[in-house]
């Protein structure tokens, strides 16, 4: 009641990001040499969760040199869409180094998850990332993320096109 129309806005946001995630998974399927609908049967009853996250301002940052809000990890799901944040802080690990990840205006960052790595037999690796507080950013950091999980009954056997001597 405090924000009239917010339910409709959030549902539309959720549906559009879910559609983007499905299209992204189609591109991955084709890139793997599989049919573009490879992931479609895994998604309709899977948990697709949209989450708003607040990271408090620097005076409340965790102690230490890097002020890590979310330590090094990979998400367990297939993919995570990160369309929005109010400040820098997301970093991805590339060849052992941390790289700031900021989506260009009107774009989305997609992190690959542990389940996708398993389904692709390591061909698509999990996206290792973390969130650190930015000492130059005053105030809170807010971000919105959407996690895309397969159905609970999905068997995570490797896709046949991903089985090779290298994988």
């Amino acid at each position: 009641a405090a924000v009239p129309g917010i339910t409709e806005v959030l549902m539309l946001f959720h549906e559009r990001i879910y559609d983007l995630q499905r299209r992204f998974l189609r591109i991955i399927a084709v890139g793997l040499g599989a049919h573009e609908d490879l992931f479609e049967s895994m998604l309709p009853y899977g948990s697709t969760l949209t989450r708003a996250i607040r990271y408090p301002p620097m005076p409340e940052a965790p102690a230490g040199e890097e002020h890590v809000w979310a330590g090094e990890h990979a998400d367990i799901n297939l993919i995570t869409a990160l369309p929005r944040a109010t400040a820098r802080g997301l970093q991805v690990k590339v060849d052992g180094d941390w790289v700031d990840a900021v989506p260009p205006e009107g774009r989305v960052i997609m992190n690959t998850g542990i389940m996708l790595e398993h389904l692709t037999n390591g061909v698509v690796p999990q996206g290792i990332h973390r969130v650190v507080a930015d000492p130059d950013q005053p105030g809170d950091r807010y971000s919105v993320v959407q996690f895309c999980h397969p159905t609970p009954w999905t068997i995570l056997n490797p896709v046949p096109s991903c089985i090779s001597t290298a994988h």
Side-chain angles (χ1 to χ4, degrees):
V3 183
I6 192 68
T7 300
E8 293 79 14
V9 169
L10 292 175
M11 289 304 294
L12 180 61
F13 175 84
H14 177 85
E15 289 168 16
R16 290 203 175 153
I17 297 298
Y18 177 62
D19 180 61
L20 179 66
Q21 289 172 310
R22 288 178 58 228
R23 288 186 284 138
F24 184 75
L25 286 169
R26 281 190 220 119
I27 292 167
I28 289 175
V30 171
L32 295 172
H35 191 275
E36 68 178 12
D37 290 339
L38 171 69
F39 298 102
E40 284 297 310
S41 65
M42 299 177 197
L43 301 179
Y45 299 101
S47 296
T48 299
L49 311 167
T50 304
R51 183 173 174 212
I53 304 169
R54 174 190 176 254
Y55 299 94
M58 281 303 295
E60 298 173 37
E65 188 176 309
E66 294 179 320
H67 306 292
V68 177
W69 286 118
E72 177 177 333
H73 71 284
D75 298 331
I76 194 169
N77 56 340
L78 293 170
I79 56 174
T80 303
L82 300 110
R84 249 351 207 180
T86 59
R88 294 183 313 245
L90 177 65
Q91 295 182 329
V92 295
K93 200 169 210 179
V94 179
D95 297 327
D97 295 320
W98 290 109
V99 177
D100 290 331
V102 180
E105 186 65 32
R107 303 292 187 250
V108 174
I109 292 173
M110 291 286 195
N111 271 348
T112 53
I114 295 168
M115 290 181 182
L116 184 62
E117 180 183 61
H118 194 79
L119 281 167
T120 65
N121 207 22
V123 173
V124 177
Q126 56 188 269
I128 305 294
H129 57 286
R130 68 180 186 177
V131 180
V132 296
D134 181 354
D136 298 326
Q137 175 67 37
D140 298 333
R141 177 185 190 270
Y142 293 93
S143 69
V144 176
V145 299
Q146 187 158 299
F147 304 97
C148 183
H149 294 263
T151 62
W153 51 85
T154 298
I155 297 173
L156 299 173
N157 286 335
V159 174
S161 64
C162 295
I163 299 172
S164 68
T165 54
H167 291 95

